[in-house]
Amino acid sequence: AQTVTQSQPEMSVQEAETVTLSCTYDTSENNYYLFWYKQPPSRQMILVIRQEAYKQQNATENRFSVNFQKAAKSFSLKISDSQLGDTAMYFCAFISSPFSSGSARQLTFGSGTQLTVLP
Amino acid sequence: SQTIHQWPATLVQPVGSPLSLECTVEGTSNPNLYWYRQAAGRGLQLLFYSVGIGQISSEVPQNLSASRPQDRQFILSSKKLLLSDSGFYLCAWSAQSLSNQPQHFGDGTRLSIL
């Protein structure tokens, strides 16, 4: 079974600074996908960024980037130029690659990191 | 574009009462559908998922059930709610394909059991 661990329950960062949220996972699979989701106080779950395990290049989406270390099974999220609107709970999630259609894709979530951006 | 609707947004129910939460997806066909529960300050727990009409898989045994009467409709139900059923319930969908399509979530339902 896959597990996802987020060891930082809470973090804070000053506005405009950079912060890195850590995530490690455990799997015996070779092909899989990793995601970071953001859940602001409104509780809506929003996809931030995704990474395919077979791609060595780290994914980037504007101010959000990841450091994907497949051998170490690490998938950290870096937020540059932090903004007040980045305050949210951030969840790391893992899903294995399906080999046939018709199978549901089951996400395994970490326990989350509450990020607070300070003015 | 695809959208997912989930209602109600907030629900307060007494212990022992029935429950029905509804989720519908628009703009896509034959999606995978999911129900998650999120306890306060915790991560998401997958409750049910469905790959097609009438096909429901349960991940956690409990007094909740799910049904998929139509392709883009997913319903979470209970005949008798327990205090432990309180939480934030999220519906999600994903495309049925071999690509790395992520799950997209509804706005959630906050359920309080009194």
Side-chain angles (χ1 to χ4, degrees):
Chain A
Q2 294 90 6
T3 59
V4 178
T5 302
Q6 293 178 250
S7 58
Q8 306 151 312
E10 297 179 0
M11 293 188 71
S12 62
V13 62
Q14 291 293 137
E15 194 175 6
E17 297 292 310
T18 296
V19 64
T20 299
L21 310 182
S22 64
C23 171
T24 58
Y25 57 94
D26 188 22
T27 182
S28 58
E29 310 222 6
N30 193 46
N31 293 320
Y32 49 87
Y33 305 104
L34 296 160
F35 305 90
W36 277 98
Y37 281 89
K38 164 185 175 180
Q39 189 178 38
S42 65
R43 304 300 296 273
Q44 186 181 14
M45 194 71 75
I46 302 166
L47 177 67
V48 174
I49 198 165
R50 58 181 147 177
Q51 174 78 43
E52 295 146 344
Y54 63 86
K55 288 187 177 179
Q56 294 193 353
Q57 185 176 6
N58 289 325
T60 299
E61 286 287 340
N62 300 314
R63 298 183 295 107
F64 298 87
S65 61
V66 300
N67 183 6
F68 174 50
Q69 302 289 330
K70 190 172 183 179
K73 296 180 181 176
S74 171
F75 182 60
S76 61
L77 174 70
K78 185 172 82 171
I79 305 175
S80 304
D81 186 26
S82 296
Q83 300 175 1
L84 296 177
D86 295 333
T87 292
M89 180 75 86
Y90 286 82
F91 291 97
C92 177
F94 168 103
I95 196 165
S96 59
S97 174
F99 295 101
S100 61
S101 60
S103 62
R105 301 174 60 72
Q106 299 180 51
L107 277 171
T108 300
F109 283 86
S111 56
T113 296
Q114 175 63 49
L115 175 68
T116 302
V117 179
L118 305 171
Chain B
S1 63
Q2 301 90 359
T3 56
I4 180 169
H5 303 281
Q6 187 180 340
W7 69 92
T10 305
L11 191 59
V12 180
Q13 294 282 102
V15 170
S17 64
L19 173 73
S20 180
L21 303 182
E22 190 162 343
C23 172
T24 59
V25 181
E26 296 177 359
T28 187
S29 59
N30 199 27
N32 291 327
L33 295 171
Y34 310 81
W35 277 110
Y36 289 89
R37 177 168 58 201
Q38 184 180 28
R42 303 284 296 278
L44 276 69
Q45 178 188 40
L46 179 64
L47 301 176
F48 301 95
Y49 67 90
S50 171
V51 299
I53 295 174
Q55 300 179 61
I56 308 295
S57 296
S58 174
E59 289 297 299
V60 182
Q62 58 219 320
N63 69 321
L64 299 172
S65 62
S67 61
R68 185 170 176 173
Q70 300 179 41
D71 180 44
R72 290 168 290 177
Q73 184 184 28
F74 204 25
I75 298 172
L76 182 68
S77 305
S78 174
K79 292 182 179 179
K80 282 187 176 183
L81 285 167
L82 306 173
L83 283 174
S84 58
D85 291 325
S86 290
F88 189 66
Y89 289 82
L90 284 159
C91 180
W93 76 272
S94 67
Q96 281 215 32
S97 68
L98 298 178
S99 64
N100 63 333
Q101 293 302 307
Q103 292 182 13
H104 303 276
F105 289 82
D107 290 340
T109 296
R110 184 180 301 280
L111 176 62
S112 299
I113 309 300
L114 304 178

